[in-house]
Amino acid sequence: MFGILGLELDLCRCTEEEKDQLKEAIVCYKKLQPNTKYVTGFYMETGSLKSGRNARVSVPHVDGGGRYMVNGQIINGSVIKHGGLRVPVRFNGANGEMAVLKGDYCSALSWMERLEEETQ
């Protein structure tokens, strides 16, 4: 869902359950098309204790004057534009229940939506 939606499968061989799942995926994909919503994917091939707790990734096309809802928190666009999004915590040790990402081959999505300006 990062870019064009390509399924690369033979629909004639899909079960009804698989076709229903595909319909849901297409509806979700279409909901993400307006440019007010962003999804950032974080992927890791192997578990690592060396990643920093403050690692960040830049997000293009952010309006520095806007406000955004990021995973349930309101953040000013200037903070996101200059500091990026924090990479989810990747800790596989004793406090594993506190980690966002656990184990090898793990991933997480960060949902961000531009908030409309309040009118007074």
Side-chain angles (χ1 to χ4, degrees):
M1 294 174 64
F2 296 97
I4 61 169
L5 178 63
L7 300 173
E8 300 180 19
L9 51 84
D10 184 352
L11 293 175
C12 294
R13 295 182 181 208
C14 291
T15 66
E16 289 303 314
E17 182 181 354
E18 290 169 331
K19 288 178 184 177
D20 289 340
Q21 291 172 344
L22 291 170
K23 287 176 188 175
E24 290 177 28
I26 291 168
V27 168
C28 183
Y29 178 80
K30 287 181 177 181
K31 283 183 184 178
L32 296 174
Q33 293 308 299
N35 287 330
T36 59
K37 295 182 182 180
Y38 304 83
V39 179
T40 304
F42 300 93
Y43 303 92
M44 177 175 65
E45 290 184 13
T46 57
S48 172
L49 295 176
K50 295 181 180 178
S51 62
R53 292 184 62 86
N54 292 316
R56 297 188 172 269
V57 63
S58 63
V59 181
H61 312 296
V62 172
D63 176 8
R67 294 180 329 131
Y68 293 84
M69 178 71 71
V70 180
N71 296 331
Q73 295 182 327
I74 297 174
I75 301 176
N76 286 332
S78 61
V79 172
I80 299 168
K81 186 173 185 166
H82 298 292
L85 291 178
R86 185 180 303 222
V87 175
V89 176
R90 295 174 286 184
F91 183 74
N92 299 326
N95 293 323
E97 70 277 357
M98 296 172 60
V100 176
L101 301 178
K102 297 179 186 177
D104 295 342
Y105 301 100
C106 53
S107 63
L109 294 177
S110 177
W111 295 87
M112 183 171 88
E113 182 174 3
R114 188 169 197 272
L115 300 174
E116 295 294 324
E117 297 298 320
E118 296 179 12
T119 57
Q120 296 185 7

